[in-house]
Structures are given as C-alpha cells and as structure tokens.
C-alpha cells in the first residue's frame, strides 16, 4: 500500500479517562456498550488502551469498509480469534489470509443456493418440533430454547439426521459447555487459562469429545461417500482446481475443523438473533400482531416451507432490524500484517484494529432514532453495505449469512404462527456483553394463540382460502431470495 501520509497512530486521539496501567479496562468491563457508544462522537478513529496494549477503534463506515475489503493487510487476529482458534483450529473463520482463499473456495459449494432449500426445510421442522413442546403460560429461558432449536437444526443440516440419539445428546451438552466457557477464557490471562481447574478440565473434555465425535462421523463418510444431502457431503466432495496437487480437497483434519467451525459459528449467533427478535416482538405487541397476521395469511393453513420465504416480508424486516439493534458479532478485531495507511494515518504492522457493527448501527447520523425498533425502516430500502454490517463484509464476510437469515425467518414464523410472546416483569432487559451480544437470561411468557376466540389477534387473518397473500413490499436486496421457487439466494462472493 502506498504510504503518502505523515500522521502516525500517536496523532489519533486517545479515548478519555484512561487510567495508568489499566487503561480503559474498567469502563470496558463495567459497561462495554456504553463505553463503545461514548466513542461514536470521534467519527473516524480513536485509540483505546487495555493494560499495556493499545488498539485503534474505527468509528467511521467508509474506513470500516476499507479494513474489511483489504484482508491481505488487515488480517483476522486479536484475542477473540486466538481463543476461538483453540477450539476450531485454522478453520475458515480463524485462518490467516494466506490460508483463506483455498478454504473459502472449498467451503463455498456447501452454501450454494441449491443446498439452502433443503437446509431451510430442516429448520422449519426443527422449529415446529421445538414449539410443539411448549405449553400455554410457560415462562421460558428463551435464549436456552433457541439454542436447543438451532443446535439441533445446525447438527442435522451438517451431519443429516443420521446421528444416534445419545451421540446427539452428548454433542448438545458438549457444545453448551464450550460456548459458555468461550468468553471467560477470552478474558482470562494465558497463565491462568492453563491452570488445571475443574472448569478447564470440563471444557477440555467437552472440546475433545466433540472433536472425536466429528472425526468418527468423517471417517464413516469417507467409507460411504454417497450424497447425504447435508453440508458434510458437499465438504467431502469439494474440489478446488486452483490448488496444487495434494491440496485440491480438504483432508480429514481440515474437514473436522470446518465442520466444527460451521457448527459453533452458526448455532449461537442464530439463536441469539432469534431471541432478540422475540424480545423485540414481546415489547412491541403491535408489530407482533402484524407479523402474526402476515404469517397466517402467507401460510393459509399450509405447512411452513422455505418456498414461503419470498412472501415473509415483515418477518424479514424484523430479523433485519433485530440484527441492526443487537448484532451478535458486536465487535471484530483485525491485526495488521504490515505497516499500512488508513484514513491518512500510518499504522504499524502488528497493530490491533477494532471494528464495531454495534457502534455503526446505532449512530444517529446514520440511522434516524437509532435505538428505536422500527422494522419498517427497511420497507423498500436496501441495507447499506457500509453502515449495515451484521455479517461483516469483503472476502471474510459470513459464509452462512443466507443460511442464517432463512433459518431465523422460518423459525420466527413457526413461533409466531402458534405463540404470542410477552415480557416477564417491567424491568428493561439489557444485553450481556460476551464474545457475542448475548441475550442470556432473557425470559419470555408464552400464550397459545386460539382460533376464533381471540378477536384482537385474529381480526386481520382471512378465513382459509378466502384471500390471497398480499403483495409483499420488497425484501432488502442483499437478502432477496433467488427466482428459483423454494431456494434462497447466497450472494456471498470472495470480493464484493
Ligand atoms: C445471524 C447469524 C450469524 C451472524 C450474525 C454471523 C456473523 C458473522 C460475522 C460478522 C462474520 C465475519 C467476522 C469477521 O469478519 O471478523 C462471520 C463469519 C463467518 N460465519 Fe457467520 N454469522 C451468522 C451465522 C453463521 C452460520 C449459520 C454459519 C455456518 C453455518 C456461519 C459461518 C461463518 C463462517 C465460516 C465465517 C468465516 C468466513 C470467512 O472468514 O471466510 N455464520 N459471521
């Protein structure tokens, strides 16, 4: 990159109230979201100190995009990725730039539009099964419920339904152990992380057992390579003609890393998105009732199916807005592979960069009334590639974005078709800031919707067969389904 600038990182303002030795550790630990938002006034960049190390936080959408699009220089790295790498090795989401393109080409076919309809059907079924276990009046830990739903759905889409019940149960338990330990491990200094505490032993056992289960499944697949119509089948069969001999396919260790990457990367983020969407509906009953009316009209007595996706306009906007307000990946980090210039400032190789979808999504100059839940802000509007980044951007953009969106929209539809959600108590619920922007601890009350008896709810619902589904407002372009019926689009490409 040409270096035409003279300003150095030292010229970037330091965020206020840094303490000697601790830097900004206290406000970051006490209320990270308030701290991040207090930096939005900086517009371009600001320096943040964590103990002895300093990171440059990017506050501007154009600069954020520059970082995303130049992953050769602004590579994946930093404490979040170091901890994730402990579990999923050098899988697609954690590998450094030199390993990335081959892996992306080998993984991309697993997310081809022709595969997504099958995955969507699995999710619709998983959501119907889950909601079928609920009872009228239940007060549920909704994040936990969504985790079981998405874990089961993700397991089945990756490994098809062939897992024995006990293996599935153990894998679900191990996943829960790993996910709950992630953030704690990220925040614990290296020396303490190595201490053989009971928690560490539990974590190591869960990680090793899950990896062993996945390796066994891979060995079985190698022995029987017929297409099981699941994600693993496409990974096993993928060939990269651009790679040299011996590297054209994923080896067993790589397959295990990728399968685990998809599994862990997909299930928590989608569960949280669903939990936040339900929280927003519970606190905005007018939107919930409109969504129920849309669901009833579109389904019109039919079984939920990915073919309904193009008609679920409001459900799509609710998920889009939930991802704006509560982006699960609220913060991402990059590490410079070499000296580079950004926004007229010369940054040294090895510097850490922090990007935050949460900050951009809530900037008042980018979104009117940014803290307000307003799914209709997306009516006829396309999410802007620079200011709306729940899935990141560029070559490292989420490979599962379309997969996750279809899953979330279908699951949300299955839930509101049958259930009304309402808040428990009057206290506003605040996110738990972890590796993800978590909804952990969120409880919601369920009421079963009744046909006929509930005039308020059912007023907008036509009698079966009497009315055609309304023409829906356009779904944002980056989420638009393809024209093939029942197949959702996968617009992820190596470069945008
Ligand atoms: C609502 C759900 C999801 C959200 C919000 C989300 C968010 C993200 C974000 C922000 C990134 C980019 C991280 C960065 O640049 O540092 C990413 C990457 C990734 N995501 Fe997702 N994700 C979701 C669902 C999924 C699903 C369902 C899968 C797979 C089944 C998945 C697999 C991946 C992978 C493999 C990458 C790395 C891509 C690469 O580096 O080439 N994600 N995700």
């Amino acid at each position: 990159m040409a270096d035409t600038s003279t300003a150095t990182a030292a010229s970037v303002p330091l965020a206020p109230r840094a303490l000697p030795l601790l830097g900004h550790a206290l406000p970051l630990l006490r209320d990270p979201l308030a701290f991040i938002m207090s930096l939005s006034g900086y517009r371009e960049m600001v320096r943040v100190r964590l103990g002895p190390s300093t990171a440059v936080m990017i506050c501007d959408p154009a600069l954020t995009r520059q970082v995303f699009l130049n992953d050769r220089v602004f590579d994946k790295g930093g404490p979040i990725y170091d901890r994730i790498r402990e579990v999923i090795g050098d899988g697609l989401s954690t590998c450094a730039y030199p390993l990335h393109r081959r892996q992306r080409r080998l993984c991309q076919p697993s997310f081809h539009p022709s595969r997504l309809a099958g995955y969507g059907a699995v999710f619709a079924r998983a959501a119907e099964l889950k909601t079928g276990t609920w009872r009228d009046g239940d007060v549920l830990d909704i994040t936990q419920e969504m985790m079981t739903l998405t874990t089961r759905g993700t397991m089945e889409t990756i490994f098809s339904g062939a897992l024995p019940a006990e293996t599935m149960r153990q894998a679900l338990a191990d996943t829960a152990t790993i996910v709950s330990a992630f953030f704690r491990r990220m925040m614990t200094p290296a020396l303490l992380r190595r201490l053989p505490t009971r928690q560490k032993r539990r974590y190591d056992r869960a990680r090793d057992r899950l990896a062993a289960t996945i390796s066994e499944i891979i060995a079985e697949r190698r022995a029987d390579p017929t297409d099981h119509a699941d994600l693993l089948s496409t990974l096993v069969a993928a060939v990269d003609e651009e790679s040299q001999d011996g590297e054209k396919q994923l080896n067993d260790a790589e397959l295990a890393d990728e399968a685990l990457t998809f599994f862990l990367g997909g299930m928590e983020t989608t569960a949280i998105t669903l939990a936040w969407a339900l929280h927003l509906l519970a606190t905005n009953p007018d939107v919930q009732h409109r969504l129920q009316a849309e669901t009833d009209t579109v389904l019109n007595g039919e079984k939920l199916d990915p073919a309904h996706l193009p008609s679920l306009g409001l459900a799509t906007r609710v998920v889009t807005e939930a991802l704006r307000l509560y982006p699960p990946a609220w913060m991402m980090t990059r590490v410079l592979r070499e000296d580079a210039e950004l926004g007229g400032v010369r940054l040294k190789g090895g510097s850490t960069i922090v990007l935050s979808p949460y900050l951009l999504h809530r900037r008042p100059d980018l979104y009117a009334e940014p803290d307000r839940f307003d799914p209709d802000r997306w009516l006829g509007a396309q999410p802007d590639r620079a200011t709306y980044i729940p899935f990141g951007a560029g070559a490292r953009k989420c490979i599962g974005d379309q997969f996750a969106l279809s899953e979330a929209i279908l699951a949300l539809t299955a839930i509101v078709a049958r259930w009304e959600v309402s808040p428990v108590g009057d206290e506003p619920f605040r996110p738990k800031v972890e590796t993800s922007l978590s909804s952990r601890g969120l409880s919601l009350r369920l009421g079963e919707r009744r046909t006929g008896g509930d005039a308020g709810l059912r007023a907008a619902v036509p009698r079966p067969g009497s009315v055609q589904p309304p023409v829906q407002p356009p779904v944002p372009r980056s989420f638009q389904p393809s024209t093939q019926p029942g197949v959702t689009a996968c617009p992820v490409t190596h470069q945008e």
Side-chain angles (χ1 to χ4, degrees):
M1 182 178 283
D3 182 7
T4 52
S5 56
T6 47
T8 64
S11 67
V12 175
L14 181 70
R17 293 189 296 280
L19 294 175
L21 298 178
L22 289 176
H24 299 98
L26 287 184
L28 259 173
L29 285 170
R30 240 184 246 135
D31 193 345
L33 296 179
F35 178 69
I36 295 279
M37 287 318 294
S38 75
L39 306 179
S40 64
Y42 283 95
R43 299 290 169 218
E44 291 206 324
M45 304 183 216
V46 57
R47 279 182 304 138
V48 175
R49 277 187 38 220
L50 246 188
S53 42
T54 302
V56 175
M57 165 110 205
I58 312 291
C59 310
D60 171 71
L63 293 181
T64 301
R65 197 162 164 77
Q66 270 186 43
V67 171
F68 273 136
L69 294 190
N70 188 1
D71 65 320
R72 191 186 64 75
V73 171
F74 301 99
D75 201 0
K76 280 254 176 120
I80 300 181
Y81 292 112
D82 292 345
R83 291 293 76 70
I84 300 178
R85 205 172 278 131
E86 285 178 0
V87 178
I88 50 181
D90 269 328
L92 182 62
S93 68
T94 38
C95 66
Y97 172 80
L99 299 178
H100 179 258
R101 295 304 193 270
R102 168 180 170 268
Q103 290 196 46
R104 182 86 187 200
R105 286 192 299 270
L106 283 162
C107 292
Q108 198 71 58
S110 299
F111 295 88
H112 189 270
S114 59
R115 289 275 170 179
L116 292 186
Y119 305 154
V122 169
F123 258 90
R125 206 169 50 240
E128 277 167 359
L129 278 176
K130 177 87 236 163
T131 57
T133 65
W134 294 345
R135 297 284 162 262
D136 192 22
D138 277 354
V139 171
L140 294 179
D141 176 335
I142 211 71
T143 311
Q144 203 48 47
E145 291 295 298
M146 294 302 106
M147 288 283 264
T148 18
L149 190 165
T150 59
T151 306
R152 192 168 288 276
T154 311
M155 268 275 174
E156 287 192 21
T157 47
I158 299 177
F159 306 115
S160 63
L163 291 191
E166 177 49 26
T167 314
M168 176 75 104
R169 195 202 57 74
Q170 187 63 62
L172 294 183
D174 290 340
T175 306
T177 306
I178 293 169
V179 168
S180 72
F182 251 160
F183 188 67
R184 210 177 35 247
R185 291 186 62 74
M186 202 177 92
M187 289 305 191
T188 312
L191 214 62
L192 295 182
R193 267 199 316 274
R194 284 198 284 274
L195 289 180
T197 58
R198 210 157 52 104
Q199 272 174 347
K200 176 172 186 316
R201 282 199 300 275
R202 246 185 98 211
Y203 170 82
D204 287 346
R205 248 196 327 269
R207 188 194 56 191
D208 293 347
R209 196 164 36 211
L210 193 60
T213 305
I214 289 177
S215 297
E216 272 171 41
I217 301 171
I218 288 170
E220 284 166 21
R221 267 322 149 81
R222 289 281 195 212
D224 167 23
T226 47
D227 186 353
H228 289 62
D230 57 16
L231 233 146
L232 186 58
S233 292
T234 7
L235 276 183
V236 171
V239 178
D240 177 33
E241 293 302 347
E242 292 182 42
S243 289
Q244 58 196 34
D245 286 347
E247 291 190 355
K248 288 191 188 300
Q249 289 203 275
L250 294 165
N251 63 35
D252 284 0
E254 290 172 332
L255 272 175
D257 282 350
E258 301 307 2
L260 206 52
T261 296
F262 294 153
F263 181 52
L264 292 176
M267 119 275 158
E268 197 204 6
T269 42
T270 313
I272 294 175
T273 303
L274 274 166
W276 283 123
L278 288 168
H279 164 71
L280 290 164
L281 290 178
T283 45
N284 293 271
D286 51 327
V287 179
Q288 182 170 185
H289 294 164
R290 279 174 53 212
L291 186 58
Q292 284 162 343
E294 171 183 274
T295 304
D296 295 344
T297 308
V298 172
L299 293 186
N300 199 15
E302 288 173 14
K303 211 170 160 44
L304 179 63
D305 186 89
H308 292 118
L309 278 170
S311 306
L312 296 169
L314 182 55
T316 305
R317 296 199 300 281
V318 167
V319 171
T320 308
E321 183 72 343
L323 282 166
R324 182 185 72 80
L325 284 168
Y326 300 107
W330 63 285
M331 183 179 94
M332 294 170 234
T333 50
R334 295 292 188 264
V335 171
L336 267 76
R337 294 173 65 80
E338 57 190 54
D339 293 0
E341 180 267 332
L342 184 70
V345 174
R346 195 151 42 82
L347 299 170
K348 286 221 168 304
S351 310
T352 301
I353 300 280
V354 181
L355 308 168
S356 174
Y358 186 87
L359 186 152
L360 293 192
H361 291 181
R362 296 214 182 213
R363 259 179 61 166
D365 56 330
L366 303 178
Y367 290 94
E369 294 186 81
D371 295 334
R372 194 161 75 85
F373 172 60
D374 177 15
D376 290 339
R377 71 172 79 236
W378 302 107
L379 251 178
Q382 312 294 344
D384 181 272
R385 291 189 305 176
T387 57
Y388 184 79
I389 49 166
F391 295 105
R396 308 296 304 240
K397 187 181 180 197
C398 179
I399 199 169
D401 59 350
Q402 294 299 313
F403 177 103
L405 287 167
S406 347
E407 259 173 40
I409 296 164
L410 287 168
L412 192 66
T413 303
I415 293 169
V416 300
R418 206 167 147 190
W419 299 97
E420 169 105 9
V421 286
S422 52
V424 178
D426 304 324
E427 284 292 303
F429 183 77
R430 286 173 56 79
K432 307 284 176 299
V433 184
E434 301 179 344
T435 322
S436 315
L437 197 55
S438 175
S439 53
R440 193 164 47 81
L442 172 65
S443 293
L444 292 180
R445 190 181 307 281
L446 293 169
E448 188 156 18
R449 297 177 63 212
R450 287 179 193 82
T451 356
D454 192 334
L457 259 179
R458 292 279 168 167
V461 182
R463 280 187 304 282
S466 63
V467 179
Q468 290 301 310
V471 176
Q472 293 295 321
V475 173
R477 186 180 28 194
S478 55
F479 301 169
Q480 256 170 11
S482 77
T483 46
Q484 274 174 278
V487 174
T488 44
C490 182
V492 180
T493 50
H494 283 203
Q495 292 295 342
E496 293 188 312

